[in-house]
Amino acid sequence: VIALVAVLMTVTCLQARMIDEQAPDFTLKDLNGKAVSLKDLRGKVVFVDFFASWCGPCKKEFPEINALIGRYNESDVAFVGVNLDKKRSHLEDFLSQVPNLSNRFIVLLDTDASVISSYNARAMPTSFIIDRSGVVRYIHFGFRESDPASWVEEIDKLLK
């Protein structure tokens, strides 16, 4: 029990340390095979969401993210989904269940889980809101119905 508490505290501390720190850069391929880097999105607020097809809360969260995209100008905010599925067919099935998925939602493939491990995401889904300079400002673990309102508030603060 003590070891488990120590591990949980370490993970929590790692996450807390990421707030106000430079987001780890990454380059992953999108659904068309194009390499996309986080650093290429500098100058925009970036919403990064780690998700997987087998994640129940991800299924509830995705339509909310999709709706959020329409609130913001493409030149101001980028939306990136980092998918952890090993099989592309699972991802495609997941995406097909999201009505009218925005073409502004950049879906990237992290099949070896290298990027999610650099972000120490401890829940599925985990969302990071990164400012225009590439600094992590907000982290959300899991999904709650109140999250979309928080996302709007946080993104709006960073756009001012």
Side-chain angles (χ1 to χ4, degrees), residues 72-89:
Y72 297 101
N73 188 318
E74 186 173 8
S75 63
D76 293 328
V77 184
F79 293 87
V80 177
V82 179
N83 179 262
L84 303 170
D85 286 299
K86 300 273 185 226
K87 292 186 177 181
R88 185 166 175 147
S89 61

Side-chain angles (χ1 to χ4, degrees), residues 47 68 72 77 129 151-159:
F47 183 97
L68 184 66
Y72 297 101
V77 184
I129 300 177
W151 299 335
V152 169
E153 182 179 325
E154 294 161 0
I155 291 170
D156 287 351
K157 282 181 190 175
L158 296 176
L159 291 174

Side-chain angles (χ1 to χ4, degrees), residues 17-24 38 41-48 119 128-139 158:
R17 252 190 9 226
M18 286 191 77
I19 298 285
D20 297 329
E21 296 290 331
Q22 198 69 32
L38 181 62
L41 300 173
R42 288 266 167 85
K44 298 180 182 185
V45 171
V46 183
F47 183 97
V48 177
Y119 277 76
F128 293 80
I129 300 177
I130 301 167
D131 72 13
R132 295 175 193 255
S133 302
V135 175
V136 175
R137 297 299 180 188
Y138 302 97
I139 303 173
L158 296 176

